[in-house]
Amino acid sequence: MSAADHPEARRARRRILVGGVLALLGLYVAGAFVEVPRIEAELSVEVDDRLAAAGIAAVSEFSGQDGTLRCAAPLTADQSAVAVREAQAVRGVRVAELDASCSLAGGGAAPTTAVTTTPPTTTPPTTTTPETTSPTTVAPTTVAVITTVPAAPVQVEAQLVDGRLVLTGTVASDLERLALIERATSVVTFGNVSNQLVVDTTVPALPGDDFVVFLDLMMKMPPHLVTGSVRWAQGVQVSGTYASDTLRAAFGAAAAAQGVAADLTPRPTATAAQAIALEAELNSLVAAEPILFEKGSTVISEASLGTVQRVAGLAERYAGVAIDVQGHTDSEGDAGRNLTLSQQRAQAVLDALVALGVPATDLTATGFGLTQLVTDADGNEIPEKSRRVVFGVTTV
């Protein structure tokens, strides 16, 4: 008998084969755990953005490529048609249907209040009964003891701060940590995710349903809220600030559909000093990380998308401000063409900020062309610094 045919050798080969199959199965399951939710999340974000842009206060939930739209308030027939059309216009959506929350009972007609006429009633004559005075007994006073129940500790939290998602807390496995990071990077760039999660196998895993709700609401924060927090402390809790009633209604509807009450407040109104500080903060950011464009184009470079996300997080911080997006070019080329290009690039940044949740009413775009070049101490132009987008901020 050859060594290859020895029973022990055959058993070893079987163990290797079974181990390889199990490893491949594990990779497939882990990949499906991450990839399918990621696709659903991307579809939900794109559909929600289109609905918000159309003024529809609704959010989407996906099972594969099939979506359900849930509404903050009933829609008219025209709004319903727009909502379905906008959702199904997103690439990858197979079907989009309206939830019952989008229509009023009775076929969409507003309920009417029936008016009933009641015949006049005859009041019988009043009989006066003599009063009898009895001694009053005072009951002993009972003092209630108030017991303060400590709040459950937060195990995991995702915070939206200045366009970044900050993940903190403790998870039970690398798979949970991976799912949180992967979902976060589906709505903001990888560089805008701060991973501070700790893996501790002794802590219990988040309940499956709660984990799904946590991930869904975390991903809906960046396009809908200015700042926000989704946390798990014996249940999912949500709070944050918003920039418009439409976005508030959409996020509130998404949370309510998951059985979560969102504690949302409007963003503060800026003082003159805060507007000045905001302008300095925005321009400091784009000085360190300029917003770049494809050469001779108005298309924002992919490398600058993270910067634009952080600009949006800062720009939507306050109400009561007017933010002018200002485009500049270097001196190379025709002055008229440069003026047009600078205006178009400023507008491209404005459009990107609106798509990220900054109210369009807060923004204007101005092109300066080559009229405000950046020079060194000797008066020589620094072309790479002349080509820039900066911001002017004033109070309204």
Side-chain angles (χ1 to χ4, degrees):
M1 179 184 295
S2 68
D5 293 330
H6 193 279
E8 186 60 34
R10 290 197 297 272
R11 284 195 293 271
R13 288 198 299 273
R14 282 197 297 271
R15 285 195 297 270
I16 292 171
L17 179 61
V18 171
V21 170
L22 290 176
L24 288 173
L25 179 61
L27 288 173
Y28 172 79
V29 171
F33 181 85
V34 172
E35 185 63 18
V36 172
R38 182 185 68 80
I39 294 172
E40 293 172 346
E42 290 178 351
L43 291 176
S44 181
V45 169
E46 289 189 45
V47 169
D48 289 356
D49 285 347
R50 290 186 71 101
L51 293 176
I56 304 295
V59 291
S60 60
E61 293 180 2
F62 276 86
S63 175
Q65 294 174 281
D66 299 338
T68 300
L69 308 184
R70 303 184 189 278
C71 303
L75 304 179
T76 65
D78 288 344
Q79 289 174 325
S80 297
V82 170
V84 172
R85 184 178 69 244
E86 291 296 322
Q88 295 190 157
V90 172
R91 181 181 177 85
V93 175
R94 181 166 54 193
V95 65
E97 298 179 344
L98 295 175
D99 181 71
S101 62
C102 298
S103 61
L104 292 172
T112 59
T113 302
V115 179
T116 303
T117 303
T118 304
T121 58
T122 304
T123 304
T126 303
T127 303
T128 304
T129 303
E131 297 181 1
T132 303
T133 304
S134 302
T136 302
T137 303
V138 179
T141 302
T142 302
V143 179
V145 178
I146 300 175
T147 304
T148 302
V149 179
V154 175
Q155 181 174 326
V156 181
E157 183 172 18
Q159 292 178 291
L160 175 64
V161 183
D162 294 341
R164 296 176 184 264
L165 279 174
V166 181
L167 308 177
T168 58
T170 305
V171 292
S173 66
D174 281 320
L175 197 57
E176 279 189 342
R177 180 182 62 83
L178 177 63
L180 282 161
I181 295 172
E182 191 276 336
R183 290 292 187 93
T185 55
S186 72
V187 288
V188 299
T189 62
F190 183 80
N192 284 340
V193 175
S194 175
N195 170 31
Q196 301 174 24
L197 294 168
V198 175
V199 177
D200 183 349
T201 57
T202 65
V203 305
L206 270 63
D209 290 345
D210 281 1
F211 193 49
V212 171
V213 172
F214 185 104
L215 293 173
D216 179 64
L217 295 181
M218 175 186 72
M219 294 185 338
K220 284 184 168 62
M221 284 197 299
H224 293 99
L225 299 182
V226 177
T227 62
S229 167
V230 178
R231 53 202 174 275
W232 192 86
Q234 299 303 315
V236 179
Q237 303 168 2
V238 183
S239 60
T241 62
Y242 59 87
S244 75
D245 287 335
T246 298
L247 294 176
R248 174 197 56 77
F251 187 85
Q258 303 282 17
V260 178
D263 180 15
L264 303 178
T265 56
R267 59 183 177 163
T269 299
T271 64
Q274 287 171 330
I276 293 171
L278 177 59
E279 177 178 305
E281 193 170 357
L282 285 168
N283 289 329
S284 176
L285 171 60
V286 294
E289 301 177 28
I291 298 176
L292 305 175
F293 295 83
E294 302 298 333
K295 185 172 179 60
S297 166
T298 61
V299 177
I300 299 173
S301 168
E302 187 173 347
S304 293
L305 295 182
T307 301
V308 175
Q309 288 172 353
R310 294 201 299 281
V311 167
L314 295 173
E316 64 185 353
R317 179 187 293 170
Y318 297 116
V321 294
I323 301 175
D324 189 33
V325 185
Q326 301 171 351
H328 299 264
T329 68
D330 58 24
S331 60
E332 181 181 351
D334 177 72
R337 183 182 180 283
N338 281 344
L339 181 62
T340 299
L341 181 62
S342 67
Q343 176 68 41
Q344 291 173 339
R345 285 181 170 178
Q347 185 64 44
V349 172
L350 184 153
D351 292 340
L353 296 179
V354 171
L356 291 168
V358 183
T361 52
D362 291 358
L363 301 170
T364 55
T366 305
F368 290 89
L370 50 71
T371 62
Q372 297 182 13
L373 303 176
V374 177
T375 58
D376 60 20
D378 297 325
N380 299 314
E381 181 191 359
I382 308 174
E384 64 274 16
K385 291 189 176 181
S386 291
R387 298 187 297 269
R388 67 199 188 278
V389 172
V390 293
F391 302 90
V393 182
T394 57
T395 54
V396 177

